[in-house]
């Protein structure tokens, strides 16, 4: 029932702009492919404002709803029980806005024969909130479920430890910081290893996908605020990159600039420039 698509990552580009993958040569001579976005003149004068969130995954661990014990089959539910966490089978809600991606991200691309998808608790909570705010016609109908008693602080010690380590290492930079990022990724992946030979003390795909879904939901929600305030969102990528099209000198003001978890890095490029990535 659980798949990698359950993360709900947006991977979205505005339908009126053009994204192409173009070759780019790194300093070491290696040729890779990177994004290039061309914004039509109808969008008016502006620049691409690239916003990258720091530590999206470990930050999500600060309060991700999880069931510490095994999931039990709780079947169809009249309403979502906030004391429970797990996975639910729901209809894909209708989303007609063109200025924001669907709240379920890439989940909507793989429905079953009845147009339903399995989602984790973070997305159920997000859909219920959007329904209360009038952005959806109603709360999701839950056709089936596997749940357990919810705990939102299970990963908080991990979050606190990684936040403290980042604060110490981000200033030093170099190899110690790169090693920290690598170890962090390995620790989170061990919840659901890709290779059978990777030994893990736990095997909890529901924890893994709930954590990534929580990061996706926070990423989407943070981008929705400036859109509601009138800013134009060009792209929402994975769980950490937002791309806006503001007039020069007027970027979205709802993000905090800094090096801590949840804060962002920001830079500006012209339409048609190659969008570089961290290893570049």
């Amino acid at each position: 029932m659980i798949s990698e698509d359950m993360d709900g990552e947006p991977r979205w580009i505005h339908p009126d702009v053009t994204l192409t993958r173009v070759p780019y040569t790194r300093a070491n001579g290696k040729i890779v492919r990177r994004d290039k976005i061309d914004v039509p003149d109808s969008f008016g004068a502006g620049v691409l404002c690239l916003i990258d969130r720091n530590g999206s995954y470990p930050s999500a661990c600060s309060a991700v709803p999880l069931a510490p014990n095994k999931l039990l089959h709780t079947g169809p539910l009249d309403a979502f029980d906030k004391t429970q966490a797990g996975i639910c089978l729901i209809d894909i809600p209708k989303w007609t806005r063109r200025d924001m991606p669907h709240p379920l991200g890439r989940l909507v691309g793989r429905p079953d024969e009845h147009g339903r998808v399995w989602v984790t608790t973070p997305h159920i909570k997000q859909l219920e909130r959007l329904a209360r705010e009038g952005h959806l016609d109603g709360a999701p109908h839950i056709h089936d479920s596997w749940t357990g008693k919810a705990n939102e602080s299970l990963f908080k010690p991990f979050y606190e430890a990684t936040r403290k380590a980042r604060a110490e290492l981000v200033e030093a930079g170099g190899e110690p910081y790169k090693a920290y990022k690598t170890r962090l990724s390995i620790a989170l992946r061990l919840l659901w290893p890709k290779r059978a030979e990777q030994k893990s003390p736990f095997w909890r795909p529901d924890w893994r996908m709930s954590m990534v879904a929580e990061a996706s939901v926070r990423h989407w929600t943070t981008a929705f605020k400036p859109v509601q305030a009138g800013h134009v969102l060009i792209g929402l990528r994975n769980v950490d990159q937002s791309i806006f099209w503001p007039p020069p000198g007027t970027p979205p003001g709802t993000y905090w600039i800094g090096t801590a978890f949840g804060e962002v890095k920001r830079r500006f490029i012209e339409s048609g420039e190659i969008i570089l990535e961290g290893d570049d």
Side-chain angles (χ1 to χ4, degrees), residues 37-188:
I37 295 177
D38 292 290
V39 180
D41 294 340
S42 59
F43 278 58
V47 293
L48 290 170
C49 177
L50 311 179
I51 297 175
D52 286 290
R53 289 170 61 85
N54 300 320
S56 291
Y57 291 144
S59 182
C61 290
S62 63
V64 56
L66 301 170
N69 298 315
K70 69 178 182 179
L71 302 182
L72 300 177
H73 189 209
T74 41
L77 301 175
D78 293 332
F80 174 66
D81 185 347
K82 295 180 181 179
T83 68
Q84 302 293 297
I87 62 173
C88 297
L89 181 65
I90 65 169
D91 297 311
I92 297 176
K94 186 177 181 181
W95 183 257
T96 58
R97 297 186 66 132
R98 300 179 79 254
D99 56 357
M100 282 292 297
H102 195 287
L104 294 181
R106 63 174 183 157
L107 257 171
V108 302
R110 293 193 176 181
D112 66 12
E113 62 272 21
H114 304 293
R116 302 168 180 172
V117 291
W118 286 96
V119 301
T120 54
T121 307
H123 275 116
I124 288 286
K125 295 176 70 174
Q126 178 196 33
L127 296 178
E128 289 208 325
R129 183 175 63 252
L130 290 172
R132 288 195 302 270
E133 295 173 355
H135 302 297
L136 295 175
D137 292 337
H141 179 69
I142 301 174
H143 297 280
D144 198 1
S145 64
W146 289 78
T147 61
K149 186 173 177 58
N151 183 322
E152 293 194 359
S153 60
L154 190 64
F155 274 45
K156 194 164 186 179
F158 175 80
Y159 159 75
E160 295 288 358
T162 54
R163 185 180 66 170
K164 182 175 182 292
R166 179 188 172 88
E168 296 171 354
L169 293 171
V170 72
E171 296 298 329
E175 289 303 318
Y177 181 60
K178 288 178 66 177
Y180 156 80
K181 291 183 67 175
T182 300
R183 302 293 253 176
L184 183 61
S185 297
I186 291 172
L188 295 173

Side-chain angles (χ1 to χ4, degrees), residues 138-263:
H141 179 69
I142 301 174
H143 297 280
D144 198 1
S145 64
W146 289 78
T147 61
K149 186 173 177 58
N151 183 322
E152 293 194 359
S153 60
L154 190 64
F155 274 45
K156 194 164 186 179
F158 175 80
Y159 159 75
E160 295 288 358
T162 54
R163 185 180 66 170
K164 182 175 182 292
R166 179 188 172 88
E168 296 171 354
L169 293 171
V170 72
E171 296 298 329
E175 289 303 318
Y177 181 60
K178 288 178 66 177
Y180 156 80
K181 291 183 67 175
T182 300
R183 302 293 253 176
L184 183 61
S185 297
I186 291 172
L188 295 173
R189 168 48 70 180
L190 284 177
L191 294 170
W192 190 11
K194 281 184 175 291
R195 298 194 301 271
E197 64 269 21
Q198 286 179 308
K199 303 300 182 182
S200 172
F202 354 78
W203 187 81
R204 287 300 297 251
D206 58 316
W207 290 3
R208 164 72 183 178
M209 298 324 301
S210 293
M211 180 269 295
V212 184
E214 178 71 18
S216 298
V217 167
R218 294 185 182 199
H219 183 42
W220 191 98
T221 302
T222 305
F224 193 30
K225 293 176 182 177
V227 169
Q228 290 177 294
H231 281 280
V232 177
L233 183 67
I234 294 295
L236 202 61
R237 315 291 280 167
N238 297 336
V239 298
D240 54 7
Q241 186 183 66
S242 307
I243 306 173
F244 288 89
W245 182 254
T250 58
T254 52
Y255 290 88
W256 290 94
I257 308 297
T259 60
F261 284 163
E263 296 179 339

